[in-house]
Amino acid sequence: MNTNAKRTAVVTGGSRGIGRAIARRLAADGLAVVVHYTGNDAAAAQTVAAIEAAGGQALAVRGDVGDAGDVARLFDAAQEAFGGVHVVVNSAGILPMAQIAPAGLEDFDRTIATNLRGAFLVLGEAAARLGEGGRIVALSTSASALALPGYGPYIASKAGVEGLVRVLANELRGRRITVNAVAPGPVGTELFYQGKSAEQIARMAALPPLERLGTPEDIAGVVSFLAGPEGEWVNGQVLRANGGFA
């Protein structure tokens, strides 16, 4: 019996990297998937095509998670196409490097607008739309344990996301909707590799006791667990999927 029959997932940032792996995994689990993306039409189309080629249902919707109207339209599109929303995964995010200094303010504001304001809007819309048994998952980070220079805006935004998750889990008391965060360690994605030398990548890969970078599929598996029936008793938590380095 397919326990995911007639369930729909919205995955923000679902066209590339970890978001794409999550979208594909949830589709493989039997959910129809709405793939949100910001600007890369080709990448979104590729994700949808891969899901459909494997026998799943998917729809790509473009928008800015930091814009309330765009987020509302994303959920409207999911409801119109598939009749409802049951799982929401907020994976959209940016990672500009910026020092904690006046010169870094523009990058800080941009990061907060996407990573934290976006999470607030997506989680808020999810709370308004999901029914009993719904699942909400937000992507955080394990980078906070390293506190590396240049990561200040990113870590600050994700600390805020974790706070929102814990509060929303309590605000949804009595509705049987779980709210959790997944905090990946270093994962081999385009976003991770950008601007890093081979030496830096090797050093990051050596951090976990398992001595490798995570894969997008590693993270997608954790999200699949939280979104499925086995994850029902996990609520208000931050799962640090990082190979054990922190």
Side-chain angles (χ1 to χ4, degrees):
M1 177 179 176
N2 184 359
T3 58
N4 288 319
K6 298 184 180 179
R7 294 177 80 213
T8 299
V10 170
V11 181
T12 70
S15 64
R16 293 186 292 178
I18 292 173
R20 172 181 282 183
I22 291 169
R24 295 187 66 175
R25 174 58 186 267
L26 293 180
D29 289 344
L31 285 80
V33 180
V34 177
V35 178
H36 159 271
Y37 69 106
T38 301
N40 192 326
D41 295 333
Q46 289 168 3
T47 303
V48 169
I51 289 171
E52 291 178 342
Q57 291 180 286
L59 170 71
V61 177
R62 183 171 182 164
D64 176 2
V65 291
D67 183 279
D70 280 3
V71 174
R73 284 188 287 274
L74 169 64
F75 280 78
D76 287 343
Q79 291 184 309
E80 289 168 10
F82 300 117
V85 181
H86 308 87
V87 175
V88 175
V89 182
N90 188 55
S91 181
I94 60 173
L95 178 54
M97 293 288 101
Q99 298 289 318
I100 302 172
L105 183 58
E106 183 177 343
D107 284 324
F108 177 82
D109 287 344
R110 188 161 58 93
T111 304
I112 293 298
T114 297
N115 295 4
L116 185 52
R117 175 184 167 87
F120 184 90
L121 290 171
V122 172
L123 268 59
E125 202 69 48
R129 307 262 189 156
L130 267 59
E132 187 172 285
R135 301 281 191 270
I136 302 172
V137 182
L139 271 288
S140 180
T141 182
S142 289
S144 53
L146 301 176
L148 294 172
Y151 278 78
Y154 183 71
I155 289 173
S157 70
K158 293 301 188 177
V161 169
E162 293 185 11
L164 293 176
V165 162
R166 292 188 177 99
V167 172
L168 185 58
N170 282 318
E171 290 181 348
L172 296 180
R173 175 181 292 274
R175 291 178 55 187
R176 290 191 60 241
I177 297 172
T178 65
V179 189
N180 294 288
V182 175
V187 175
T189 65
E190 180 183 342
L191 185 65
F192 170 79
Y193 288 122
Q194 187 175 10
K196 292 183 177 67
S197 67
E199 182 182 355
Q200 288 173 316
I201 293 168
R203 188 163 59 246
M204 297 289 275
L207 284 173
L210 298 178
E211 296 187 328
R212 67 170 176 85
L213 293 176
T215 68
E217 289 72 24
D218 289 329
I219 309 307
V222 177
V223 172
S224 172
F225 162 72
L226 291 174
E230 294 86 358
E232 183 175 8
W233 195 234
V234 182
N235 192 25
Q237 303 301 310
V238 179
L239 274 65
R240 304 208 175 276
N242 56 30
F245 82 81

